[in-house]
């Protein structure tokens, strides 16, 4: 049994991970700037603290063997294109202070939640073809948002901490993780949760608003698949950043249609092209993770969205 710190354990992926590790028999300390929002007691011990502060990072990393780092100031495309300075400032502080605290407290292994947002936006501007993004395509670097630049910077920082201090680091480039027990309102929510909320709140005959023309292409990974892949990566010898996502491309229109079908309601779609919609086409290339971890997604969009929609429907 290992002693593990999960940061961001009050948020979506962090609270799932804390519970997943606790259920596997690890001793888990959860830390977040807020109490867990939706999962009760995800960790053995939970502390509210601001990880932008180095002293708090030192306290959080005391007596643990490994750290899963999910704490970040982040949200969906509407949030990260509006809040730029604070996203960079807060996340650089959290990640620099956490890495240094891990070294000072002799932590063995550090997991960093990077993002598909690090990939060059030029590779993702054509909605007529599916952009399967490979890990090696991250350079020459040209992320489309400050959020993406901060993630790329922290990947390099992880590699530097490994080289200079021997801290083992593992990096996942997550591609749109979704599922129940995550933010679904308030402005930080992402497309599957936002669309589920809109459909859950609509009546027969209403319409819901899609951001953009709905032809944007993405892929989404269900949270249970994300847990398994992340755990395998953390235990593996794979030191370079690795895509964790689904390679089943889906348009936002199709995603909305699936949620509407699950709801059983008669709902129309309308479009607001003045809203931020991100890149035109983004999908994960999973060649490397299949080789390195013998992992691939198992949950279909129908199953995953059913779980997500049912939970959000109850919440609203
Ligand atoms: P989330 O917002 O639900 O979780 C992040 C948590 O960090 C929140 O609970 C928040 O309160 C906490 N936090 C923020 N500032 C903090 C601070 N100063 N001190 C302590 N805690 C603080 O987001 P999530 O979807 O669970 O994402 C988790 C991680 O995965 C993030 O690093 C995110 O960038 C990354 N990621 C997520 C996705 C996705 O699709 N959800 C995709 C790519 C990368």
């Amino acid at each position: 049994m290992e002693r593990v710190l999960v940061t961001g354990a009050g948020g979506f992926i962090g609270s799932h991970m804390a519970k997943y590790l606790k259920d596997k028999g690890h001793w888990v300390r959860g830390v977040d700037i807020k109490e867990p929002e939706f999962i009760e007691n995800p960790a053995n011990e939970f502390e509210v603290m601001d990880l932008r502060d180095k002293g708090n990072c030192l306290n959080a990393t005391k007596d643990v063997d490994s750290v899963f780092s999910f704490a970040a100031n982040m949200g969906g495309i509407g949030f990260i294109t509006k809040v730029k300075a604070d996203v960079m400032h807060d996340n650089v502080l959290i990640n620099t202070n956490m890495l240094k605290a891990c070294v000072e407290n002799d932590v063995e292994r550090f997991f960093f939640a990077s993002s598909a947002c690090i990939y060059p936006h030029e590779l993702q501007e054509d909605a007529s073809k599916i952009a399967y993004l490979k890990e090696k395509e991250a350079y020459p670097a040209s992320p489309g948002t400050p959020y993406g630049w901060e993630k790329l910077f922290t990947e390099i920082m992880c590699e530097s901490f490994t080289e200079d201090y021997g801290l083992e680091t593992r990096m996942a480039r997550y591609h749109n993780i979704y599922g129940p027990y995550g933010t679904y309102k308030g402005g930080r929510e992402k497309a599957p949760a936002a669309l589920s909320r809109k459909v859950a709140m609509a009546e027969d005959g209403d319409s819901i608003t899609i951001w953009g023309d709905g032809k944007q292409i993405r892929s989404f990974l269900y949270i249970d698949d994300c847990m398994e892949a992340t755990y395998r990566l953390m235990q593996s010898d794979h030191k370079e950043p690795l895509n964790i996502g689904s390679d089943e491309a889906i348009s936002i229109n199709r995603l909305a249609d699936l949620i509407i079908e699950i709801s059983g309601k008669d709902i129309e779609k309308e479009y607001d092209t003045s809203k931020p919609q991100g890149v035109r086409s983004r999908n994960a290339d999973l060649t490397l993770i299949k080789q390195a971890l013998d992992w691939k997604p198992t949950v279909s969009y129908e199953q995953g969205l059913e779980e997500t929609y049912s939970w959000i429907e109850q919440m609203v």
Side-chain angles (χ1 to χ4, degrees):
M1 193 173 105
E2 233 189 306
R3 291 175 64 89
V4 183
L5 167 67
V6 178
T7 79
F12 171 49
I13 304 178
S15 61
H16 277 274
M17 182 49 81
K19 184 170 182 312
Y20 177 89
L21 294 168
K22 195 171 95 166
D23 291 348
K24 276 197 180 297
H26 299 286
W27 182 90
V28 181
R29 177 182 297 141
V31 166
D32 202 293
I33 202 165
K34 64 172 192 216
E35 293 285 347
E37 232 178 321
F38 306 117
I39 296 187
E40 248 178 79
N41 301 323
N44 299 79
E45 177 184 295
F46 191 93
E47 288 183 47
V48 173
M49 53 172 84
D50 184 345
L51 294 173
R52 287 170 298 186
D53 180 88
K54 169 90 184 291
N56 285 339
C57 291
L58 281 168
N59 285 333
T61 50
K62 225 172 248 160
D63 303 323
V64 296
D65 306 304
S66 48
V67 172
F68 285 82
S69 177
F70 297 104
N73 186 359
M74 63 91 66
I77 190 69
F79 183 81
I80 61 168
T81 50
K82 198 167 109 208
V83 184
K84 294 176 288 228
D86 283 351
V87 161
M88 288 202 93
H89 170 267
D90 293 355
N91 296 339
V92 163
L93 284 182
I94 292 169
N95 293 321
T96 47
N97 285 329
M98 277 307 299
L99 280 162
K100 206 71 208 255
C102 284
V103 170
E104 289 177 28
N105 276 330
D106 292 325
V107 171
E108 284 160 26
R109 221 163 249 237
F110 179 86
F111 170 85
F112 175 57
S114 186
S115 166
C117 289
I118 64 101
Y119 286 108
H121 64 92
E122 295 87 351
L123 300 177
Q124 310 171 63
E125 294 306 350
D126 184 355
S128 67
K129 64 173 195 244
I130 298 171
Y132 288 91
L133 296 166
K134 291 188 179 58
E135 285 82 351
K136 65 177 186 208
E137 288 176 316
Y139 298 96
S142 177
T145 55
Y147 169 77
W149 277 106
E150 189 281 322
K151 291 289 187 195
L152 201 57
F153 166 79
T154 300
E155 286 187 4
I156 303 290
M157 199 165 48
C158 286
E159 285 166 6
S160 302
F161 270 75
T162 303
E163 284 170 21
D164 292 4
Y165 295 112
L167 173 67
E168 288 284 337
T169 55
R170 299 291 179 266
M171 296 167 265
R173 290 181 184 154
Y174 286 145
H175 290 243
N176 298 313
I177 314 303
Y178 76 102
Y181 310 112
T183 303
Y184 62 90
K185 62 175 183 183
R188 286 178 187 257
E189 63 280 13
K190 300 193 164 185
L195 292 170
S196 296
R197 185 200 69 237
K198 288 176 187 177
V199 171
M201 293 180 75
E203 312 262 339
D204 273 335
D206 286 352
S207 22
I208 58 159
T209 305
I210 309 276
W211 286 13
D213 60 8
K215 293 179 184 154
Q216 314 89 293
I217 291 170
R218 292 289 182 281
S219 63
F220 299 89
L221 183 72
Y222 190 63
I223 186 74
D224 292 358
D225 280 331
C226 172
M227 293 296 99
E228 174 67 23
T230 305
Y231 190 68
R232 284 196 200 185
L233 171 59
M234 190 61 155
Q235 291 186 313
S236 77
D237 293 330
H238 192 88
K239 292 173 195 284
E240 289 81 37
L242 197 58
N243 284 336
I244 292 187
S246 160
D247 55 1
E248 196 182 336
I250 183 170
S251 69
I252 296 297
N253 272 329
R254 178 71 190 132
L255 185 76
D257 288 341
L258 280 175
I259 296 169
I260 293 169
E261 277 166 32
I262 289 165
S263 77
K265 296 181 190 178
D266 174 19
I267 291 172
E268 297 289 316
K269 304 192 291 295
E270 52 189 45
Y271 299 92
D272 184 346
T273 49
S274 71
K275 295 285 191 199
Q277 50 175 298
V279 292
R280 298 297 289 155
S281 173
R282 169 182 291 165
N283 194 8
D285 183 295
L286 300 182
T287 312
L288 200 53
I289 193 169
K290 283 177 185 164
Q291 284 166 4
L293 305 184
D294 189 24
W295 173 91
K296 61 179 188 331
T298 60
V299 180
S300 69
Y301 284 130
E302 285 78 4
Q303 291 168 303
L305 289 171
E306 172 84 51
E307 295 292 328
T308 309
Y309 178 77
S310 309
W311 178 75
I312 291 177
E313 189 185 31
Q314 280 171 38
M315 297 303 288
V316 302

